[in-house]
Amino acid sequence: MTSVFICLRGTKEDLHLPSTNYYVYYDTDMDQAMERYVSMPREEAAEHIPLLFIAFPSTKDPTWEDRFPGGECDCRIPTHQPVLAAPRGACYGADHDLGRVHPRVMASLRAQSPITNLYLTGQDIFTCGLVGALQGGLLCSSAILKWNLYSDLKDLDSRIWAQKN
Ligand SMILES: Cc1cc2nc3c(=O)[nH]c(=O)nc-3n(C[C@H](O)[C@H](O)[C@H](O)COP(=O)(O)OP(=O)(O)OC[C@H]3O[C@@H](n4cnc5c(N)ncnc54)[C@H](O)[C@@H]3O)c2cc1C
């Protein structure tokens, strides 16, 4: 996966930039699209990228205008490897193939490690993505505190619910 970060000159109002994400698929059969893509010669591949994700992060950032009044200009094409400090640039962590969801693997990917006081957190101890990373944080905090933080969250939810009703 490669990201292109483009900075456009002007405000979101000038440029009519929406605060949204676009997932652009060129085929309804993703497996077929990927197989075709990876088997293409390099020169043709750029014309047949199977999936594009287009977002406008600055339009979602309430501090953007203060930090970059009028819009600064920059254009970069980085891979995820140096940006995320991920050795193979895998922004969604461990490969989510069938092996990853095998019960033995699921049971062994946990916050506790064989090294005393070394705990693991983030998406790789739960599942990929921001929500997976958040759950990984909760599991890791629970392991360190030896306390089920999910119970605390449930109690908090009940208290908030009671206050509202
Ligand atoms: C462009 C992009 C778009 C994405 N969009 C979505 C989306 O729409 N929805 C979604 O759910 N997920 C999305 N993701 C994935 C999401 O960002 C990850 O799943 C999530 O951030 C994983 O969280 P984490 O805490 O496990 O790891 P990370 O967020 O990668 O955190 C790991 C941290 O460790 C630091 N680090 C690494 N090595 C070292 C070291 N040696 N010393 C000190 N620090 C180190 C890294 O700099 C990083 O800050 C996207 C990712 C990218 C790159």
Side-chain angles (χ1 to χ4, degrees), residues 5 23 32 43 123 136-137 147:
F5 294 91
Y23 292 87
Q32 185 180 296
E43 308 76 51
Q123 61 187 350
W147 183 262

Side-chain angles (χ1 to χ4, degrees), residues 73-141:
C73 212
D74 185 19
C75 179
R76 290 188 293 140
I77 306 180
T79 69
H80 289 127
Q81 198 170 12
V83 178
L84 303 179
R88 295 190 188 171
C91 68
Y92 280 104
D95 196 3
H96 274 61
D97 57 6
L98 279 180
R100 170 70 176 78
V101 291
H102 189 283
R104 198 182 308 137
V105 175
M106 295 294 280
S108 56
L109 288 172
R110 50 201 312 131
Q112 293 90 343
S113 82
I115 301 169
T116 309
N117 291 332
L118 177 69
Y119 292 87
L120 308 180
T121 189
Q123 61 187 350
D124 284 336
I125 64 160
F126 194 79
T127 191
C128 67
L130 298 174
V131 174
L134 177 71
Q135 302 295 333
L138 272 168
L139 288 173
C140 182
S141 309

Side-chain angles (χ1 to χ4, degrees), residues 4 9 14 17 21 44 49 70-71 84 99 108 133 142-143 160 162:
V4 181
R9 225 180 275 279
D14 296 338
L17 291 183
N21 297 333
E44 285 176 39
I49 294 171
L84 303 179
S108 56
S142 297
I160 293 171

Side-chain angles (χ1 to χ4, degrees), residues 1-8 49 51-57 74-80 83:
M1 186 155 87
T2 302
S3 295
V4 181
F5 294 91
I6 300 173
C7 187
L8 305 168
I49 294 171
L51 166 65
L52 282 178
F53 172 71
I54 304 170
F56 306 98
D74 185 19
C75 179
R76 290 188 293 140
I77 306 180
T79 69
H80 289 127
V83 178

